[in-house]
Amino acid sequence: MMPVITIDGPSGAGKSTVSRKLATILGYKYIDSGALYRIVALETMRRHIDENDDTALAQICNNIEVTFFNANGKQKIICGGHDISGLIRKPEISMLASRLSARKITRDYLTALQRKMAENEKIVLEGRDAGTVVFPYAKIKFFLDATPEERGKRRFEELTLKGLQVDLKQITQDIIKRDNNDRSRRYAPLLPASDAVIIDSTAMTIDEVVARMIQTIKQKNEEYS
Ligand code: DC
């Protein structure tokens, strides 16, 4: 198996920025698994599909053609020939992605897709179950957390910077609701792997988190060599 570093945690904990930076420093490919769940949500909405229609969900998951690339430090996501980077970040897509991600059919397909994407590359995989379900044997796992208030503030700033009109209170409430869905679902709930290194980023900068991760990776690599 090619080396995999997993970074799990709740929404707004800083996973995306940290994962992207870490991948760049290490020369690994960054995979944003949340984007895959968001793509399924976008297609479900676009095609007016019933959320409980497993056959239709399977068909969407089975036909995802996605390319991630880095454009001046920003992630661009091309799906079916279209740039959907902004569209999939809309709050209604976040909520639908959270509901659809609780369905076994969606998880089964997207778990297989993530494993396939990692077949020939060293990857940093960001998600909710990367270290528990997708790559339980990964040697380096992190769980990144922060208080709900801090996470709401970060998500608000991120969306505002993207030009979206959002309300801080609403964003924080949505984050808490989504976390509850993600933590309490039956299949692959959000939780730290027993061997994950837990980092609380509430009072840390992105660079501090990345530095802590690099230090941990060095230590672990020494232990394994
Ligand atoms: O990381 P994100 O906010 O882009 O994820 C969107 C939703 O998808 C989130 O509510 C939980 C779900 N998700 C998941 O269940 N498993 C993953 N590996 C990634 C995301």
Side-chain angles (χ1 to χ4, degrees), residues 33-34 37-38 89 97-98 101 107 127-129 178 182 185:
S33 65
Y37 287 91
R38 287 171 182 272
R89 302 292 159 198
S98 180
S101 71
R107 301 217 73 84
R128 301 292 189 289
D129 60 343
R178 229 153 40 93
D182 297 344
R185 69 184 174 217

Side-chain angles (χ1 to χ4, degrees), residues 8-9 11-12 15-16 32-35 37-38 89 93-95 97-99 101-102 107 114 126-130 134 155 178-179 182 185 188:
D8 289 311
S11 318
K15 298 188 303 292
S16 304
D32 171 5
S33 65
Y37 287 91
R38 287 171 182 272
R89 302 292 159 198
I93 295 292
S94 304
M95 272 314 196
S98 180
R99 293 200 299 277
S101 71
R107 301 217 73 84
Q114 289 166 70
E126 174 206 332
R128 301 292 189 289
D129 60 343
V134 186
R155 186 49 60 94
R178 229 153 40 93
D179 283 354
D182 297 344
R185 69 184 174 217

Side-chain angles (χ1 to χ4, degrees), residues 59-225:
Q59 213 246 347
I60 291 177
C61 293
N62 211 12
N63 287 297
I64 293 178
E65 264 181 41
V66 62
T67 315
F68 294 99
F69 68 92
N70 193 324
N72 299 326
K74 288 199 173 146
Q75 179 182 243
K76 284 260 171 244
I77 306 170
I78 307 295
C79 185
H82 301 283
D83 182 351
I84 47 123
S85 322
L87 273 182
I88 58 168
R89 302 292 159 198
K90 289 193 167 176
E92 61 270 29
I93 295 292
S94 304
M95 272 314 196
L96 181 56
S98 180
R99 293 200 299 277
L100 294 176
S101 71
R103 299 193 69 81
K104 187 172 185 306
I105 191 86
T106 322
R107 301 217 73 84
D108 287 349
Y109 271 93
L110 296 192
T111 297
L113 178 59
Q114 289 166 70
R115 290 184 181 145
K116 196 162 188 310
M117 290 169 98
E119 262 170 9
N120 302 311
E121 302 201 69
K122 298 175 178 180
I123 62 158
V124 173
L125 176 63
E126 174 206 332
R128 301 292 189 289
D129 60 343
T132 49
V133 175
V134 186
F135 289 107
Y137 301 112
K139 293 200 172 64
I140 299 173
K141 300 178 184 175
F142 294 102
F143 190 89
L144 194 57
D145 211 343
T147 60
E149 293 72 25
E150 178 64 21
R151 293 188 284 115
K153 197 174 120 232
R154 289 179 190 170
R155 186 49 60 94
F156 172 79
E157 283 164 4
E158 182 191 326
L159 294 175
T160 307
L161 264 180
K162 285 192 172 123
L164 294 177
Q165 293 278 333
V166 281
D167 173 66
L168 175 60
K169 208 166 152 213
Q170 185 63 48
I171 289 284
T172 310
Q173 275 172 5
D174 283 0
I175 275 201
I176 293 170
K177 182 154 187 266
R178 229 153 40 93
D179 283 354
N180 288 340
N181 288 350
D182 297 344
R183 286 183 208 268
S184 62
R185 69 184 174 217
R186 182 165 171 203
Y187 304 107
L190 167 67
L191 85 176
S194 58
D195 53 350
V197 172
I198 298 176
I199 301 178
D200 182 341
S201 73
T202 307
M204 292 171 83
T205 64
I206 294 291
D207 287 341
E208 284 168 345
V209 174
V210 173
R212 171 90 58 88
M213 287 180 166
I214 302 263
Q215 190 189 19
T216 306
I217 293 167
K218 278 190 188 147
Q219 277 167 1
K220 294 239 174 207
N221 283 340
E222 277 165 21
E223 280 168 31
Y224 291 123
S225 64

